[in-house]
Amino acid sequence: RRRIARDIQEGPAQQYSGYVMQVEICQQLLKKGISDQLSQELVSLKDGLNKGLKRIQNVISVLTPEAIQTQGLATILGQYVNRVKNDTGMGIQFTCGHIGDEIDFTINNTIFCLVQSCLSNIQAYSQSKNVEMELVSDGQTLTMRVADDGHGFDIEKVKQGMYRQEMENFEAIRDRVNLVGGQMRINSVEGEGTLLEITMPLQPKKT
């Protein structure tokens, strides 16, 4: 819920505040009869509204994971990744191997949320241009790898309290993984990017 609230605040809410200002500018230009500049502002406003709509669609998709059960995990993830690519301009290479029908509903939803969290984190903090995301299963466990070419981070600086917000997001991801009996590993080099690897059972850990 906190992540959804943050996504709305940092995305559509900020964007639409800017659109209100653009509308006010357009009103002023209309009154002054400056048609050329008005036309440019309207084109910019239309482009912004289209991008804002895509951001809202991404947030809504977080709230409707039941579609996974009807369309399949790979299909839903592919659709989501494509929306993020179009919205952000990042180059995202997504591959999903055969997972099978034995995967638990809880694991399906967990993977869906993890993909969203990882891409949201990359978009917000890493300044990546390219992302590689892979899902593979050996029939017993599922492995998810996410690699980006962003700024990365130095583990020693993390110990000194730097990258605090980014680390809090990673810890939130780790908590979600732990809930289903999985494990998470992070390998990052400052200036070279980050590799996140998550493994989890196809059936959630029973408590």
Side-chain angles (χ1 to χ4, degrees):
R1 289 174 182 165
R2 287 194 298 269
R3 182 172 61 80
I4 293 172
R6 187 195 68 218
D7 286 347
I8 293 174
Q9 178 60 38
E10 294 181 355
Q14 289 185 1
Q15 287 178 321
Y16 279 85
S17 295
Y19 303 152
V20 171
M21 294 179 63
Q22 279 189 281
V23 170
E24 293 173 348
I25 292 173
C26 289
Q27 289 175 329
Q28 295 174 6
L29 293 173
L30 181 62
K31 289 180 180 179
K32 295 178 180 180
I34 309 177
S35 58
D36 290 343
Q37 192 173 345
L38 174 60
S39 177
Q40 293 175 4
E41 284 292 336
L42 288 173
V43 170
S44 174
L45 179 58
K46 180 181 178 181
D47 181 62
L49 287 169
N50 284 329
K51 291 180 179 178
L53 177 60
K54 291 177 182 178
R55 291 293 296 270
I56 291 173
Q57 289 172 335
N58 286 344
V59 172
I60 290 174
S61 68
V62 178
L63 306 175
T64 56
E66 64 271 10
I68 296 172
Q69 301 305 306
T70 57
Q71 300 183 49
L73 179 64
T75 298
I76 293 300
L77 287 178
Q79 292 173 355
Y80 176 75
V81 168
N82 284 333
R83 285 201 298 269
V84 174
K85 287 170 63 176
N86 293 332
D87 186 18
T88 64
M90 284 194 301
I92 306 175
Q93 181 180 337
F94 172 68
T95 57
C96 183
H98 177 70
I99 297 175
D101 300 327
E102 65 274 14
I103 188 169
D104 183 85
F105 174 81
T106 302
I107 299 297
N108 263 332
N109 286 346
T110 297
I111 296 167
F112 180 72
C113 292
L114 289 173
V115 168
Q116 292 175 316
S117 296
C118 288
L119 290 179
S120 177
N121 204 37
I122 289 171
Q123 182 183 350
Y125 301 107
S126 77
Q127 300 179 345
S128 300
K129 294 183 179 179
N130 298 287
V131 179
E132 294 183 4
M133 179 174 289
E134 178 186 28
L135 285 175
V136 294
S137 171
D138 62 5
Q140 297 295 323
T141 61
L142 185 140
T143 300
M144 172 178 162
R145 299 184 184 91
V146 184
D148 68 64
D149 62 354
H151 59 59
F153 52 87
D154 186 328
I155 191 63
E156 292 302 320
K157 292 182 180 180
V158 171
K159 294 177 180 178
Q160 296 170 13
M162 297 183 66
Y163 311 106
R164 181 164 302 181
Q165 183 60 59
E166 192 170 355
M167 290 303 106
E168 287 180 358
N169 291 340
F170 276 127
E171 287 305 312
I173 293 174
R174 188 187 301 276
D175 289 344
R176 186 181 289 275
V177 171
N178 289 342
L179 283 174
V180 294
Q183 295 181 329
M184 184 181 88
R185 291 175 291 276
I186 302 175
N187 183 20
S188 186
V189 177
E190 193 169 24
E192 297 185 14
T194 301
L195 170 63
L196 179 69
E197 184 173 277
I198 295 170
T199 57
M200 65 184 74
L202 295 183
Q203 297 294 323
K205 179 181 178 181
K206 294 182 180 180
T207 58

